[in-house]
Amino acid sequence: KQEVTQIPAALSVPEGENLVLNCSFTDSAIYNLQWFRQDPGKGLTSLLLIQSSQREQTSGRLNASLDKSSGRSTLYIAASQPGDSATYLCAVGPLYSGGGADGLTFGKGTHLIIQP
Amino acid sequence: GAGVSQSPSNKVTEKGKDVELRCDPISGHTALYWYRQSLGQGLEFLIYFQGNSAPDKSGLPSDRFSAERTGGSVSTLTIQRTQQEDSAVYLCASSLGVRINEQFFGPGTRLTVL
């Protein structure tokens, strides 16, 4: 059964710093990996999708990398801003169907606070 | 609308009652997913639809849970004889295809069972 772990569980940094959020997964048989942010009381906003054949994806100040063989992904946030404060979730999509595992498997998230 | 919509946004019910949650996916998305987010369990996958078909229902927590999708669009998740442990936020997502495409989430339905 796929397990996704995110470290750290919480992080508080001053505005302007660059930071890295970590995600690891136990089963490398994945189709893709997706990073989301979740604001309090809201749904999930998709940030980046990395297909299993890709190494990284970039969107604005965000860069996500994927090392499928080692079961790791990182989300790099450059020049952090108070508006980046949210919970960041990593999720992997299965390569094979069935067994009740056709959806994304999520980590428990990193709660990020950017201090003004 | 442009995004995934869900209704109601909040639902409070008494233990033993049935509830129905609705999801309206992004137009043209053939895949639709239901997830549940609770404090103790995090986000867990429940069921998906490809068109109107749900090939695998084994992710549903119990036989009190059922889901259907009609016309390849709107989906409803029904919970019969609700229990307090069903209290959670129920999230719906849609994508162009199953597993291979980016999933877009709705705002969720917060269910509270008293």
Side-chain angles (χ1 to χ4, degrees), chain B residues 23-35:
Chain B
C23 172
D24 202 340
I26 293 172
S27 178
H29 281 192
T30 61
L32 184 149
Y33 304 79
W34 284 98
Y35 296 84

Side-chain angles (χ1 to χ4, degrees), chain A residues 31-112:
Chain A
Y31 212 111
N32 52 36
L33 184 145
Q34 202 166 344
W35 280 94
F36 297 87
R37 70 174 278 169
Q38 186 172 32
D39 295 280
K42 305 288 187 182
L44 278 63
T45 300
S46 179
L47 298 173
L48 290 164
L49 171 73
I50 309 178
Q51 302 292 351
S52 62
S53 58
Q54 298 174 318
R55 297 285 292 184
E56 65 177 331
Q57 281 287 342
T58 298
S59 176
R61 295 182 292 108
L62 305 179
N63 176 277
S65 68
L66 173 63
D67 184 341
K68 196 174 71 167
S69 62
S70 66
R72 294 179 183 177
S73 176
T74 61
L75 179 67
Y76 176 83
I77 303 176
S80 58
Q81 303 171 358
D84 295 331
S85 298
T87 296
Y88 289 79
L89 293 158
C90 166
V92 295
L95 182 60
Y96 305 109
S97 63
D102 290 278
L104 296 172
T105 300
F106 283 82
K108 294 194 183 300
T110 293
H111 181 56
L112 177 64

